[in-house]
Amino acid sequence: MQPVVFTESSIRFRQYVVLGIFLFLIVLSSFFSGEWNRWLHGIFMVVSFPLAFFTMMLLRGEPDRRTAVSAWRSPFFYFFLFMAIVAATSVVSVQLYESMHQATLLLCYGIFFWVAATVLGKPLFLKLTSIVIYCTGIIAAIVSLVLLIIDPALRAGGLLYNANALGSYLLFSLLLGIVLALSAEKRRNRALFWFGTLVLLGSFLLTFSFTAWVSIAVPLGILAWLQRKKIFTKKGLLFFLIAFTALFTVAVGVRYLRSGNFLHALKIHTTIPAEGIAESFNQRLKFISSAAEIFYDHPLTGSGLATYQDVYPRYAASVLEQPRYAHNYYIQLAAEVGFFGVLAFVALISTLLIRCRAAVRRLAGDSARYPYALGLSLGVLASAIHALFDFGWHFPGVFVLFWIAGGIVIAQGGQADEGRARHPGSNRTAVILCVSVGLLLMARGITLIASEAYYDKAERQRSLGGISYPLELYARAVAFDPSPTKMKRQAGLLYEQANTIPDYNPGSFYEAERVTLDAMQWSEIDCFGYNLLGRIYFILEDYGSAERAYQKAIEINPVFEPDFYYDLAALYGKQEDYVGAVATIESILSRYGETVKTANPKLKTELSFLNLLLGQSYRELGEYDSAERALQRALEIDSAFELAALELAGVRQDRARLNGATDE
């Protein structure tokens, strides 16, 4: 059998296909991002197969002229080790579905990283990719400035809808722009780069993301040292003074257009008051501390990848906010995948940074590639530092840039990650393995995209008040992707439908129970699932099962869902156990006290209803003074709460009758 011969044109075609996919990913993730965006996740999974397939064909089609690197110095070795640990810990995760989903997403990032480091080594690829990152960053910065003028928000968040995430995203393009502007030889190019960089810097500063500002300090210090001959001159210092003045003018102008008050616009330092900074710092310390406690309780396997938000309520130090993230990626990872998992990840990041440094040093004499490699490397470093303080890596638009930038820089180093010569059959095995994994990811991506299409349509139809058609759409969404979230939305609508049927039909409630139990098979700590089961059992008059389900929901989430306590207290009220109802409500109200300041937008309503139910329970016990105090608290929280006002009037009438009977 004759070996396959690859022509230069076919190899070049495959290289351009890979490059085109990467450019597509960079642009797409910049404007279609978000921390919970399943659409973007699905697209990542779909493109992983063509990336892997074309890369394997390229490896077979051209000789490997790169020098070998031992496994201990290879970031790919640690990535493989990290993924193996993640896969092992996901099996015992308290949220199996989310852990598996995030592990799949990390595998996609790994493929992007490997392909970029393997294929995108040519100067043209480095330059094109860098320019696209730079230009998309400028567009994102302009969009954020426009949105900041239109929307009276305090901080620029752009299309990421989060100021800290935008600051993390702009680190790459901002550092790249500064390097390119300092390195440009032609005056016109230098002017263009500085103009774009000033736009980036303006948006970056208006995020008021102090963690991003801190993260860029070290890379800027390195750059200042490397470019000291260009920066620390009279001309250079004068330019930076002019640039600072221009930025300040732009910032004040944006604030003036937003507020219409020039004096207020000048006081940029008051955008985030000092007490707000202190409060944010203290909250982050609490989040990080809670993650450390989770790690202490699960040092080997962790609680499972992407489970911090679900486990946090048991470790909460404050009732004011329920975070999604610990604001420190490394400590959160330790809590989720254990000691060996975070150790492998830190080794991965460390070897990546070492390889980036080696590639930049190797290209020091190459004026065509050096600025781009240096700019991307500084962005990778800044992003790794930022992960110590914030959650940017949880946004696909940020994390995908990190891996693509890191891979491209490694590709410039001219080093492979093979410690020894490969066996003749290893190529075939690698092709089969890579293509198989790519196909599985693509299949998963296609089903995820199809599921999201049905799910989004079901959500829109449900918002319009429909039931039957949204239920059909939810069922289709679940058929493509058995996500617990989607299944619980389906179960919740089944429960709602059963409640609206004029004639009582227990079969409809049993169907809702079945779907809820199916969703809960993926999780040991599904507090919302247990609460929904409790409501179903309550309607079915299985009060014992309802009480156990409500108590389990409270055990899992003892702080952030007062509705759970309301449902349990209502159950006690139904059984005329008003003492139990009072004890249940007082236990949660004692946690919140008079607090209504929280990230939970439902809390005001929840606390007012809890006080209403407490007042009703005290009224049934004949404790009218306590009943009146509870109902007055309900009205203090919500002055337009008519039910509380009516109940308060009834309590006063009961007391008047009692006093009248006593007088007689």
Side-chain angles (χ1 to χ4, degrees):
M1 182 177 179
Q2 294 295 325
V4 178
V5 178
F6 294 91
T7 64
E8 183 67 26
S9 60
S10 65
I11 292 174
R12 190 180 300 112
F13 170 75
R14 294 187 182 95
Q15 289 176 331
Y16 286 142
V17 168
V18 172
L19 176 64
I21 293 175
F22 271 114
L23 298 183
F24 165 76
L25 285 174
I26 292 169
V27 174
L28 184 71
S29 61
S30 299
F31 305 108
F32 191 37
S33 192
E35 50 200 323
W36 298 97
N37 197 322
R38 303 297 200 198
W39 283 96
L40 196 57
H41 297 176
I43 293 170
F44 283 175
M45 294 171 192
V46 169
V47 302
S48 64
F49 169 68
L51 278 173
F53 178 77
F54 278 102
T55 300
M56 294 307 302
M57 293 300 100
L58 283 167
L59 292 180
R60 295 185 64 194
E62 60 180 4
D64 190 355
R65 302 183 180 91
R66 298 170 295 174
T67 57
V69 172
S70 65
W72 300 106
R73 296 172 56 194
S74 168
F76 302 104
F77 169 79
Y78 293 107
F79 189 89
F80 174 79
L81 180 62
F82 172 66
M83 287 305 303
I85 294 171
V86 165
T89 56
S90 292
V91 176
V92 294
S93 169
V94 296
Q95 290 277 22
L96 183 59
Y97 176 89
E98 281 303 320
S99 293
M100 293 177 62
H101 177 81
Q102 290 299 318
T104 307
L105 188 58
L106 283 175
L107 186 58
C108 292
Y109 291 136
I111 289 177
F112 301 159
F113 178 42
W114 173 71
V115 172
T118 305
V119 175
L120 302 181
K122 292 186 176 181
L124 175 63
F125 299 161
L126 171 66
K127 185 174 181 179
L128 277 177
T129 307
S130 300
I131 292 298
V132 169
I133 290 175
Y134 178 64
C135 291
T136 50
I138 291 174
I139 296 173
I142 293 173
V143 170
S144 74
L145 292 173
V146 172
L147 291 178
L148 193 63
I149 295 171
I150 297 174
D151 185 358
L154 289 176
R155 304 164 65 188
L159 293 177
L160 274 75
Y161 303 105
N162 185 290
N164 292 327
L166 179 62
S168 179
Y169 169 77
L170 292 178
L171 286 172
F172 294 93
S173 48
L174 179 56
L175 285 164
L176 188 60
I178 294 173
V179 174
L180 293 178
L182 289 172
S183 304
E185 296 180 357
K186 295 182 179 180
R187 180 177 298 179
R188 184 184 63 180
N189 293 344
R190 189 161 55 248
L192 287 173
F193 281 130
W194 275 124
F195 176 77
T197 302
L198 289 176
V199 172
L200 287 165
L201 189 56
S203 181
F204 181 75
L205 292 176
L206 287 172
T207 63
F208 288 94
S209 174
F210 294 101
T211 57
W213 295 357
V214 170
S215 302
I216 205 173
V218 172
L220 283 179
I222 294 173
L223 180 60
W225 173 255
L226 294 174
Q227 302 286 337
R228 57 190 180 278
K229 293 182 180 179
K230 294 183 178 180
I231 295 175
F232 298 106
T233 63
K234 290 182 179 179
K235 186 177 180 180
L237 293 175
L238 178 62
F239 173 81
F240 282 108
L241 178 61
I242 295 172
F244 175 80
T245 305
L247 280 171
F248 184 79
T249 303
V250 169
V252 171
V254 170
R255 286 166 55 84
Y256 175 73
L257 289 173
R258 191 179 60 207
S259 64
N261 187 325
F262 183 72
L263 291 177
H264 172 72
L266 281 174
K267 299 177 181 178
I268 292 180
H269 65 282
T270 63
T271 300
I272 301 180
E275 56 271 21
I277 300 173
E279 181 181 349
S280 176
F281 180 76
N282 290 330
Q283 280 186 339
R284 289 171 191 242
L285 281 181
K286 292 175 183 177
F287 301 157
I288 292 173
S289 175
S290 67
E293 290 182 30
I294 296 170
F295 171 67
Y296 180 80
D297 289 342
H298 307 84
L300 295 180
T301 61
S303 58
L305 192 66
T307 60
Y308 172 77
Q309 179 185 6
D310 301 293
V311 179
Y312 174 80
R314 295 185 181 183
Y315 298 84
S318 169
V319 300
L320 294 182
E321 184 172 2
Q322 182 180 10
R324 290 182 176 178
Y325 313 114
H327 292 69
N328 184 309
Y329 192 87
Y330 306 99
I331 294 179
Q332 180 172 335
L333 200 61
E336 293 179 344
V337 299
F339 173 76
F340 296 106
V342 73
L343 187 64
F345 186 78
V346 170
L348 162 62
I349 300 301
S350 300
T351 51
L352 170 60
L353 293 173
I354 291 170
R355 290 286 296 276
C356 285
R357 176 176 177 270
V360 170
R361 293 184 65 180
R362 177 179 176 273
L363 297 174
D366 188 341
S367 59
R369 286 196 287 176
Y370 177 76
Y372 300 99
L374 176 61
L376 291 179
S377 296
L378 292 176
V380 170
L381 174 62
S383 191
I385 294 173
H386 190 259
L388 289 167
F389 311 111
D390 232 316
F391 48 80
W393 279 357
H394 290 280
F395 283 71
V398 177
F399 214 20
V400 74
L401 276 187
F402 177 83
W403 293 112
I404 292 175
I408 291 175
V409 174
I410 285 181
Q412 311 310 309
Q415 293 178 320
D417 294 290
E418 304 280 346
R420 62 189 67 180
R422 289 178 291 187
H423 187 273
S426 64
N427 262 348
R428 188 180 300 109
T429 303
V431 169
I432 293 173
L433 179 63
C434 196
V435 170
S436 299
V437 171
L439 280 172
L440 288 174
L441 286 174
M442 184 173 70
R444 163 65 176 157
I446 291 172
T447 57
L448 184 59
I449 290 173
S451 177
E452 287 303 302
Y454 284 120
Y455 181 72
D456 285 356
K457 189 174 182 180
E459 291 286 277
R460 289 193 298 271
Q461 292 296 323
R462 184 174 184 177
S463 67
L464 296 175
I467 292 182
S468 298
Y469 187 44
L471 275 176
E472 180 183 341
L473 294 172
Y474 279 132
R476 294 178 187 175
V478 169
F480 281 105
D481 174 34
S483 160
T485 299
K486 295 169 185 173
M487 295 171 76
K488 280 183 291 185
R489 294 290 286 175
Q490 179 188 11
L493 193 54
L494 283 167
Y495 171 81
E496 183 181 327
Q497 182 189 51
N499 271 324
T500 59
I501 296 175
D503 297 326
Y504 174 72
N505 181 10
S508 299
F509 290 103
Y510 285 126
E511 176 65 12
E513 176 197 19
R514 181 192 65 77
V515 176
T516 306
L517 290 172
D518 287 345
M520 294 173 64
Q521 289 179 356
W522 292 96
S523 172
E524 299 176 11
I525 54 171
D526 190 347
C527 57
F528 296 102
Y530 278 111
N531 188 251
L532 180 57
L533 281 178
R535 291 180 176 181
I536 293 170
Y537 294 141
F538 180 85
I539 296 294
L540 294 174
E541 298 183 356
D542 184 356
Y543 297 137
S545 297
E547 182 178 356
R548 287 190 293 273
Y550 286 145
Q551 289 176 339
K552 185 65 176 179
I554 291 172
E555 177 189 339
I556 295 169
N557 193 331
V559 176
F560 297 107
E561 295 298 331
D563 269 356
F564 296 171
Y565 291 85
Y566 181 91
D567 289 341
L568 180 59
L571 173 64
Y572 289 142
K574 179 71 174 179
Q575 297 174 297
E576 299 184 358
D577 180 6
Y578 300 111
V579 173
V582 167
T584 300
I585 298 173
E586 292 284 13
S587 67
I588 184 62
L589 290 181
S590 64
R591 288 179 180 265
Y592 281 90
E594 302 300 323
T595 298
V596 293
K597 179 184 178 183
T598 177
N600 179 2
K602 303 180 299 179
L603 184 62
K604 180 179 177 180
T605 301
E606 291 171 343
L607 290 181
S608 57
F609 268 94
L610 277 168
N611 278 289
L612 169 65
L613 185 55
L614 182 62
Q616 292 172 333
S617 299
Y618 275 128
R619 181 183 181 184
E620 293 291 342
L621 292 172
E623 299 183 25
Y624 298 120
D625 289 342
S626 298
E628 187 169 346
R629 284 194 297 270
L631 294 168
Q632 285 175 340
R633 282 198 301 269
L635 289 169
E636 288 172 5
I637 296 171
D638 183 2
S639 59
F641 195 11
E642 294 183 5
L643 290 176
L646 291 172
E647 190 70 23
L648 181 59
V651 168
R652 289 170 176 170
Q653 289 175 359
D654 289 349
R655 176 185 287 164
R657 284 196 296 268
L658 179 63
N659 290 337
T662 303
D663 292 340
E664 292 176 3

